[in-house]
Each structure stands twice: as C-alpha cells, then as structure tokens.
Amino acid sequence: MLNPRSIAGQVFLIQFVIVVLLVLAAVAAVVLQAARDALALGRRESVVAAQSFANAPGVAKAFRSPDPSAVLQPKAEAARKKAGVDFVIALSTEGIRYTYPYSGQIGKKFVGNIGPALRGHTIVEQAGGPPLPAGRGTDVQAVVPVTDARGRVVGLVSAGITVKNVTRLWVPQLPLIAGAGAGALALATAGTSIMAGRLRRQTRGLGPPELARMYEHHDAVLHAVREGVLITDADGRLVLANEEAKRLLALDQGELGRPVHELGLPKEITRLLASPGTATDEVHLARDRLVAVNKRPTFPDEGRGGSVVTLRDTTELATVSGRAEVARERLKLLYEAGVRVGTTLDVGRTAEELAEVAVPQLADVVTVDLLDAVLYGWEPTAEGWRQQRRVALGGDHMVLPVYPLGELITFPMGAPQMWALRLGRGVLEPDLKEARGWQEQDPERTRKALELGLHSLVTVPLQSRGVPLGVANFYRMGDSPAFVPEDLSFAEELAARAAVAIDNARRFTREHAMAVTLQRSLLPRGQPEQEALEVAWRYLPAEAGVGGDWFDVIPLPCARVALVMGDVVGHGLHAAATMGRLRTAVHNFSTLDLPVDEVLGNLDDLVVRMDSEEGAEGQEGEGVTGATCLYAVYDSVTGACTMARAGHPDPVVVCPDGTVTWLDVPASAPLGLGGYPFETAELRLPENAQLVLYTDGLVVDRRRDMDVGLRGLHLALEGDGERSPEEACQAVIDALKPAHPSDDIALLVARTRLLPRSYVAEWEVPSDPAVVPSVRARCTQKLREWELEEMAFTTELILSELVTNAIRYGSPPVGVRLLKGHCLICEVSDGSSTSPRLRRAAATDEGGRGLFLVSQFAQRWGKRYTPDGKVIWAEQTLDEGPFAVPTLTPVDVLLEQFGEATL
C-alpha cells in the first residue's frame, strides 16, 4: 500500500493530500468564523454590560456626588465581575475616568470616541488603552450615556472585552478538527487496505503477466474441447459461447451480449438457461440433435449470479431418455397421489381425489365405483360386487354418455370390472371395440362412447387388506395412445394407494356412525313432564368425531327443575361412554335432592375414580383427563335459581325486554382435579326470562376465539325477548354454527315460569299435636277452593301423618305448604335434620305405619334438606294417568296393616 508505484499506493497518496487540504481549509474557516462570531459576541456583551450599569439605580446620582470615584469604583468592579467583561469604566462628560480595574488609571483621560455618547447615542468601537486584567491588546468597547431624570447627560459608561480574551472561543475547536482529519486519514488508510486486499483476492495473487498467460490458456481450452460451453451473467445475458456451443445451438458471434430469450433457442433450453436453478444431464432437443445439458452457478460460494452451461451431443441416447422421462413422470404422479389422495376421512371425497390425480397424466376419463357397504362404513362382502354406486368422475366426461354420479350400476358377470374383482388384479382392454364384456354392460351407451372416441380401458380393483371396496376405471380417448401393460401396472399401484385411503375413510365412517349413535342414545330423547320451564335444545356432533357434550332437564320435587350442561374432554367412543356415565350419575345425585355444590363434588370424585381405574388398567391415551359441568336448580314457586359450574362457560339470561345478561357464576376447577370446593350462586329470575346454557363448541372454533364467539352469541340473543325457546335455539345455531364444526355443540334454552300465587298455600304450625285437626281443616278448605274436594280425605291423611311426625320427632319451626300444579304437592318442614325411614310395622307394633300410608296414597314422596332443617314432601296426581292413585281405599290399606289382629 505504501509503494507509490502500485495502484493502492497512488490512491493512498491522493487521499492523504486531500485530507490534509481539507483539514487546513477547515481550520482557516473555523478561525475566521470564530473571530467574526467572537467580535459580534464581544460587541453585544459590551453594550449589554454598559447599558446595564448606566441604568442601574443610583448611578446617575453618583455622578453628581462630591466624590464619584469613591461611590462608583466598587460598583463598577462588582458589575465587571458579574457581567464577565474585562472592564466597566465610569467617565465624566469630559472623558475623565472615575473608575478602572487598576486604581492608578483613575482620573486619566479615556482612550476612545465619546462624542456620540454625549449626544445621547451608544457607540461601539475597537481601541487600545491602558493595561487590563486580561492583558494588553485591542479591546472591543461600548460607550453609553448616563442621563438624569430630565434626560440630560451627566456621565458616560464604557464596558468592553479585549481581543485576546475573545479569541479563546475558537481555540477549543482545533482538537476536534485535527481529530476529524486523523479519523478521515484512518478511514482512507483502511479503505486503501481493503481495496488492496480485494485486488489480491480478485487476481488470486497473480500479476499482469500471469493473468495474460491464463487468459491465453482459457481461450485455447474453450475452443479445443468437444463440449459446448455457455456462460451467462446475472441478468441472463449470453457472455461467452465456444465453437461447439455455437454449432449445437446454431449461434453466431453477434449473439453475445443478448438476453437468452432473444437467441431463438428451443423453449425448454431457453427456460433452463433463464432459470436460477441447476441441471444435471437434462436431455433436450436442439434442432435435430438431443443435447445433454449441465448447468451450475458461475460463483457458487458468492451468490453473484450467472451460470456456466455445458452441452453434450447425446442423440444416440434418445430411446433411453424417453423411457427415463416416462419413469420420472410416473414417479412424480405417485408422489402426488400420496400427497393429494386421502386428505380427508370422507369416502366420496377420497374417490374424487383419485380421479383428479389420474387426469390427464394417466387417463382422459376416470370413474370410481364403490360398493354401497363402503359408503356406509360397513364391511363389504362378495355378494354385493355386481351392484356398485358411482361416486367420482374425472376428466372430459361431459361429452361421453357415462353413468352420472350417485347412480347404482349393475355389472354383468363378463364385464371387465367383475373380472378385476374376481381376479384381484387389473384388467387391460387396449381396444374397446373388441371388448365384448364391456359392451354388454349397456350397448347403447358404449356405442355412443366409441363414436365419440373412447378406445382404451384399464380397470383395477380397489382393495385393502384383501377386501374389495370397488373399482377404478381409466379411459383414453381421441389421439391418446392405447394403454399398454406398463400402464396397467402403474394403474394398479395408484389404485392400491388410493384403496388404503378409502378403507381408512370407510372405517372412520363406521366408527363415527357408531359413536354418534351411542351418543344420541345417551342424550335425552324427549322432554320430561314438568311445568317449571319451557325448554328447547340443539345438539350438533363434530364432523371429525363425536365428543362428550351432554345436557339434561331433570324434574325435581316441589315444582323444581334441574338443568345440566357438561362437556367431557376428548372425542370418540370413549368420550361418549364417559358422558353417559356422568349423565347417569347426575340423575342419581338429583334423585337424592342434593345441593348443587354437592352434586358437582360427587361428580368430581366420580371422574377422579374413573381416571384412576382406567389408568390402573394400562389403557394409555384412554384415561379421562377431565370434564366441565354446569348444574342449576330452578324453583318455579319462588323464581330462585341456584347454580354452580366446574370449568364451564358462564350461562346467559335473556330478560323479557330482550336485554342479555351474562351471569357471574363463580368459576370452579373442572371435574377430575379432585379436592377443590365448588361455589354456588343464587339469583331470582323474572317470569318469561330465558336461561341459555351451552358448551364451548358453540363459541370456540379454529377460525375464531372465544371473545368473538361470545360477542356473536350476545348479538344472536339480544333484542327479542318474546321468542320461544325453539326460535331462540334456531337463531343462535344459524348465527354461530361453523361450516365444518370441529367440536360438538350443545345448546339449551329454558324459559322460566312461575307457579301462580293462588296455587300456593303455606302456614306455620305450632309444635303441639292438638293443632293437627286444625291443619286438616285448613287443608280441606284450600282443596275446596281449588275444586279438589275428591282428594280431601287422602290429602288430610297424608298431611296429618307428616305433621304429626314433624311435631313428635322434629323440632320447631314446623311449616306446611300446598302446591297445585300438574300434581298436588304437600310439604311439611321442620328444623330437625333427622331423616325419616320407611319400614313395615309388625302386627303388634303401635306405630311405624305413618310413612307407609303416605307411600301408599302418594304418587311419590321424599325428603330434602334445607339450611334450616328438612322438608318431607308427597305428590298426588290430579287426573287418571300412568301415575294414578291406587285403587285401594284408605280403609282397605289401614286394615291390611293390622292383618289378622284386626279381626
């Protein structure tokens, strides 16, 4: 780099001179600019300091004092130090100094022009004077007048800065300029060093003689070899072509420098030369010669673009090349079949994918016929081979008289399709004009097909695990060559791959149908008899497999109804079976009339136990990983709704005016975690309000998150509180149902009803057996008001026994409540938690028959616990029906209790 004879040395020397000149010019410019700026700054600061001191309070008065120097000297020195100037001088109107930084100069004549100041003007000038603290030199000074109250000039003030002091403003910039110059010189050195290194790399360390000799050898080799060589640059222009390349491609010298697509080469060779990829022994036709082409990048490790192409005359390899191309295309088609066939678990769609892949690479028209048993997921049998249903058509079938989609086709025994099924291998019909068995299928259709150009057929069986599923028919027409045995082998391979996918789809269809059937059998079939709620629901299984979503409406005693909505984690038969077990458990817990939190607690224990049992059996992947559930109990007498949820989405209430409210039910852990308590929430629902329960499949989908789904649910429910539950269900499903649901959807809408207050009678009973007759009397009166006199005797008997037991064995307070709905309900409450038990009394027992009589005359009876005690209830039907009152009279029942002792 330091050699002045080298290119790098010369460049470095020029850069050094330029940097030095730039530094000198920068120093001169900075000095001049700093001097100019410093002078302007000094003039401005001098004027400000002089005017500030001249206008200071007491200055004008000091000039008229007997000894102005004594008064003004300390003030002037203080002002000088504060203002940062070199001097502040007070002068008389004759130019005599009253103040000066050095006291020896006081009383002497001021050096400068004071004429304008005596006329009331400010003057700024450069002048030299006596020594100053800043040193000798020309100073920049300002002279201003001092006036009294009448405007008369009583004195002068001069302030200034020496030129020597001002020059300090530009001196600090010299190191910065010098540093910048040094940096620029360092960059120039580094740049020259990099350039020198690049020159060494680009010339590979060779000098001019070596480079010239290398070029001569390169030229000799290019024109001596019997392979064509082409070099293109990054822009796709032809840079070099040797004599052999020009001969093979018919190029002339004027083609150099032109883009490859303007050379008039064959299309395939032009595409190869213009593409950025590589090629190895690709055979292409160039005029009447077959040329093997190899292509590599010119600079493979640098990514600079450009390529080197070699051409070799391989005309004698034409036959081999053709076969290799056919093999390559068929391997590519098999790969596409593996990727494109079987993308779904739908039998019909899989057959369509087979037809789409085979056209036009293998055939012009493809038809796929499957056994009906395969479409429904059943195991096919040999008895149904003759009848197959057309499920897929591919290619130019619109111009041919082929069977349409969905039509059931009956094949004759001599048809190629039947031969293929019986033999278990493909059948080749190279000339359909000679295929008698194919023509027997439908003479009229086959005649028209032959007239339209259909001429060759390959039919292969679709079979998996040795079980035939159907046949695939490959046709060629028009100018396409007839099928050959190699085509038959390839069609069999293609059909074998498709048959596996079709069989997988068939088995999935069967399992899906079984799971859906099982799940639907475990869900409610119809609405139970109850009057507390008007209920409607929807259940939609997932496309890919059923899940564990379930819901239930369970009538409870005393005009109450339990609503359940749950979701078992997972899909398939195992999830459906688990759902059935949980639904049965909820029914059992509801029969016990447990509080809502205890129901969820028992369900949680059950899920934990189920998971432990299945884990102990070693069924990997089949364990219950959890479930969510919402359990609510609605009381139509009070309108109270008590609910709790275990990991389930919040319920929704639609008020009669159409407003939508999300209920803030405390969130508890999902079922299956074990050991976590469940919180309850109780609220009052107005009459005709709609309670909406749902599973997460309604609001969560692969294309939307839960927030979007909940917003859509809100919009679907909002605004119309007069809709029936059935209409509300349909509106929600229409708004939120995804096109392809990936999870089950369960939705339940319940409209509340309230039992009329006129159908409710309740009163408190003192803890005295003597009041039992009065209770019976009030009961009879109320039944008379309800026009139920025929039930008076039985109701009195039931109520008498229940009240007597509450007074005798319970604790106060004792209460009685009668409810008239679809049945007559008698309730007796007390403050004790002692549970009554039904037993058969012996003939000699004096007691123990009360509950037995209640069970005989009531449709059903039971107990439930409350926070204040318990309630014993009994129901009686109001009309004849499946739960009608027994035909035995009360007297017969009483006599039966005493047996022979009563005789």
Side-chain angles (χ1 to χ4, degrees):
M1 183 180 67
L2 299 178
N3 185 3
R5 295 184 179 182
S6 66
I7 296 177
Q10 295 173 3
V11 171
F12 177 73
L13 182 59
I14 293 173
Q15 291 177 338
F16 178 80
V17 172
I18 292 174
V19 170
V20 171
L21 292 177
L22 289 176
V23 169
L24 294 177
V27 170
V30 169
V31 168
L32 293 177
Q33 184 63 35
R36 188 180 298 110
D37 294 343
L39 184 60
L41 178 63
R43 294 168 66 90
R44 184 169 59 255
E45 290 183 355
S46 299
V47 172
V48 171
Q51 289 181 347
S52 299
F53 185 78
N55 295 318
V59 172
K61 184 178 179 181
F63 273 97
R64 294 183 179 276
S65 63
D67 189 0
S69 294
V71 178
L72 294 174
Q73 176 66 13
K75 290 184 179 182
E77 286 303 299
R80 176 180 69 83
K81 295 177 182 179
K82 193 175 214 180
V85 295
D86 291 332
F87 61 88
V88 176
I89 305 172
L91 310 172
S92 67
T93 54
E94 290 80 13
I96 304 302
R97 300 189 187 102
Y98 289 154
T99 65
Y100 201 79
Y102 299 124
S103 57
Q105 298 295 327
I106 298 175
K108 294 183 180 181
K109 188 71 174 180
F110 175 72
V111 180
N113 184 13
I114 64 173
L118 293 175
R119 294 191 295 271
H121 301 290
T122 298
I123 182 173
V124 181
E125 61 181 352
Q126 297 180 9
L132 292 169
R136 288 186 174 277
T138 304
D139 57 39
V140 178
Q141 62 185 14
V143 181
V144 299
V146 178
T147 60
D148 58 7
R150 296 181 180 180
R152 291 178 297 179
V153 177
V154 297
L156 304 174
V157 175
S158 175
I161 300 176
T162 63
V163 175
K164 180 180 179 180
N165 191 29
V166 171
T167 57
R168 72 180 186 277
L169 298 177
W170 56 267
V171 173
Q173 299 186 37
L174 292 179
L176 179 61
I177 297 173
L185 187 59
L187 291 176
T189 304
T192 305
S193 176
I194 293 173
M195 185 181 69
R198 289 180 61 85
L199 286 174
R200 286 195 299 271
R201 288 195 301 271
Q202 290 175 355
T203 60
R204 303 294 193 270
L206 301 177
E210 290 86 355
L211 291 175
R213 188 163 49 251
M214 180 179 292
Y215 174 77
E216 292 172 356
H217 294 168
H218 167 268
D219 191 62
V221 171
L222 279 181
H223 294 287
V225 297
R226 297 306 299 168
E227 277 196 355
V229 179
L230 300 175
I231 299 179
T232 60
D233 61 11
D235 297 328
R237 297 180 179 274
L238 183 63
V239 177
L240 181 145
N242 68 349
E243 296 299 330
E244 182 66 10
K246 294 176 181 178
R247 184 185 69 83
L248 292 175
L249 301 179
L251 299 174
D252 55 33
Q253 192 65 30
E255 305 289 352
L256 296 180
R258 297 179 60 187
V260 294
H261 63 271
E262 297 180 0
L263 300 179
L265 301 177
K267 184 182 299 183
E268 290 298 322
I269 296 181
T270 301
R271 179 191 59 78
L272 179 62
L273 295 178
S275 65
T278 62
T280 301
D281 290 335
E282 289 192 11
V283 180
H284 297 282
L285 184 64
R287 296 190 299 170
D288 57 346
R289 311 298 296 175
L290 287 176
V291 179
V293 183
N294 291 274
K295 181 182 178 184
R296 294 293 184 271
T298 308
F299 307 100
D301 299 329
E302 301 179 15
R304 293 165 52 187
S307 58
V308 178
V309 181
T310 61
L311 309 171
R312 187 174 66 256
D313 190 356
T314 58
T315 305
E316 66 278 4
L317 300 177
T319 304
V320 177
S321 175
R323 292 179 179 177
E325 181 66 20
V326 172
R328 186 178 67 86
E329 290 297 331
R330 290 189 172 178
L331 286 175
K332 180 181 178 182
L333 181 57
L334 286 177
Y335 171 76
E336 290 183 1
V339 174
R340 295 172 54 187
V341 178
T343 58
T344 67
L345 290 174
D346 181 80
V347 174
R349 178 56 191 158
T350 305
E352 292 174 1
E353 291 170 345
L354 170 60
E356 293 171 357
V357 167
V359 177
Q361 289 90 338
L362 178 62
D364 298 317
V365 177
V366 177
T367 64
V368 180
D369 306 322
L370 298 178
L371 304 177
D372 272 346
V374 176
L375 296 176
Y376 295 110
W378 306 331
E379 196 74 21
T381 59
E383 290 76 8
W385 285 1
R386 290 192 60 187
Q387 290 190 335
Q388 300 180 33
R389 194 171 300 277
R390 180 142 297 173
V391 295
L393 288 171
D396 194 13
H397 59 84
M398 300 301 295
V399 300
L400 297 175
V402 296
Y403 290 99
L405 287 175
E407 184 166 343
L408 187 64
I409 305 172
T410 302
F411 293 103
M413 296 303 297
Q417 291 81 0
M418 295 304 298
W419 280 107
L421 290 174
R422 285 196 296 269
L423 298 175
R425 55 183 174 82
V427 174
L428 171 62
E429 294 287 357
D431 188 358
L432 289 178
K433 293 180 180 179
E434 305 297 330
R436 302 303 176 189
W438 175 74
Q439 295 178 14
E440 291 176 1
Q441 170 66 31
D442 191 331
E444 183 63 23
R445 287 178 185 268
T446 56
R447 182 184 62 80
K448 292 182 178 180
L450 292 174
E451 292 176 355
L452 293 172
L454 206 66
H455 61 79
S456 189
L457 165 68
V458 166
T459 181
V460 293
L462 297 169
Q463 54 185 6
S464 178
R465 300 174 292 108
V467 178
L469 309 173
V471 293
N473 306 298
F474 304 91
Y475 294 93
R476 283 183 178 174
M477 59 183 298
D479 298 332
S480 299
F483 285 113
V484 295
E486 289 81 0
D487 297 322
L488 175 61
S489 301
F490 178 73
E492 288 178 336
E493 176 67 21
L494 185 62
R497 298 193 178 197
V500 174
I502 291 176
D503 188 54
N504 289 338
R506 177 193 65 80
R507 297 173 67 181
F508 171 78
T509 301
R510 179 188 61 189
E511 294 178 1
H512 181 71
M514 292 174 59
V516 170
T517 302
L518 172 62
Q519 188 177 43
R520 290 194 180 277
S521 66
L522 296 176
L523 291 173
R525 298 291 185 87
Q527 296 197 13
E529 183 181 357
Q530 52 86 27
E531 294 181 341
L533 296 170
E534 180 185 356
V535 182
W537 59 68
R538 292 289 187 278
Y539 172 76
L540 302 175
E543 279 190 355
V546 297
D549 294 14
W550 93 93
F551 59 90
D552 223 329
V553 180
I554 307 173
L556 298 178
C558 307
R560 295 174 303 132
V561 177
L563 300 177
V564 189
M565 183 66 69
D567 185 2
V568 176
V569 174
H571 292 82
L573 289 173
H574 185 267
T578 304
M579 176 270 291
R581 296 175 67 179
L582 294 181
R583 181 172 179 248
T584 302
V586 172
H587 270 271
N588 293 333
F589 297 145
S590 300
T591 302
L592 298 176
D593 216 343
L594 299 176
V596 293
D597 55 338
E598 292 188 21
V599 171
L600 293 183
N602 290 328
L603 281 180
D604 185 45
D605 295 339
L606 175 62
V607 173
V608 172
R609 186 164 60 253
M610 291 164 60
D611 201 5
S612 301
E613 292 173 355
E614 297 187 359
E617 294 175 2
Q619 299 179 359
E620 184 178 355
E622 292 291 331
V624 178
T625 57
T628 65
C629 184
L630 188 147
Y631 185 77
V633 175
Y634 173 71
D635 189 342
S636 63
V637 178
T638 63
C641 183
T642 306
M643 60 183 68
R645 63 187 180 103
H648 204 78
D650 279 322
V652 183
V653 169
V654 182
C655 297
D657 60 359
T659 58
V660 178
T661 303
W662 298 90
L663 300 182
D664 188 14
V665 181
S668 301
L671 303 177
L673 298 182
Y676 291 93
F678 297 94
E679 298 184 56
T680 62
E682 182 174 344
L683 64 153
R684 301 278 178 175
L685 297 180
E687 190 171 10
N688 294 325
Q690 292 185 359
L691 182 62
V692 181
L693 310 181
Y694 55 93
T695 57
D696 58 0
L698 180 68
V699 295
V700 179
D701 189 58
R702 285 175 292 189
R703 297 180 179 85
R704 68 184 178 205
D705 56 16
M706 178 169 283
D707 292 338
V708 177
L710 293 176
R711 195 178 310 117
L713 177 61
H714 187 282
L715 294 176
L717 294 172
E718 188 178 28
D720 191 357
E722 300 297 327
R723 287 184 300 195
S724 66
E726 189 70 27
E727 294 171 342
C729 278
Q730 193 60 45
V732 171
I733 293 298
D734 292 342
L736 297 179
K737 177 189 175 184
H740 302 283
S742 58
D743 194 8
D744 291 4
I745 296 175
L747 173 66
L748 187 147
V749 179
R751 172 178 285 175
T752 59
R753 297 170 177 165
L754 288 177
L755 192 66
R757 296 304 303 171
S758 59
Y759 287 175
V760 180
E762 54 184 339
W763 57 86
E764 293 187 1
V765 178
S767 297
D768 184 359
V771 302
V772 175
S774 64
V775 172
R776 291 199 298 267
R778 296 185 65 174
C779 173
T780 302
Q781 180 182 358
K782 180 57 66 175
L783 293 179
R784 189 177 299 111
E785 295 176 4
W786 289 345
E787 299 180 354
L788 298 176
E789 294 88 347
E790 69 278 2
M791 303 179 65
F793 181 80
T794 304
T795 305
E796 287 181 10
L797 179 61
I798 294 173
L799 195 59
S800 177
E801 293 296 337
L802 296 180
V803 172
T804 301
N805 286 344
I807 295 175
R808 180 175 299 176
Y809 303 110
S811 59
V814 178
V816 174
R817 188 169 72 167
L818 298 179
L819 305 175
K820 177 189 175 185
H822 69 281
C823 61
L824 181 62
I825 303 173
C826 300
E827 295 182 7
V828 176
S829 62
D830 66 85
S832 171
S833 59
T834 304
S835 176
R837 181 171 58 89
L838 177 65
R839 66 184 181 88
R840 179 177 288 276
T844 57
D845 289 343
E846 295 184 0
R849 296 176 177 82
L851 289 180
F852 181 81
L853 292 175
V854 172
S855 66
Q856 291 295 312
F857 291 106
Q859 173 187 342
R860 58 175 183 162
W861 74 279
K863 62 182 179 297
R864 61 185 175 92
Y865 293 98
T866 65
D868 301 325
K870 68 176 180 297
V871 175
I872 309 298
W873 54 268
E875 292 182 0
Q876 303 174 73
T877 56
L878 298 181
D879 50 21
E880 295 295 329
F883 303 104
V885 179
T887 55
L888 291 177
T889 64
V891 177
D892 294 333
V893 175
L894 290 173
L895 292 177
E896 183 182 352
Q897 290 300 299
F898 288 95
E900 296 180 357
T902 59
L903 301 176

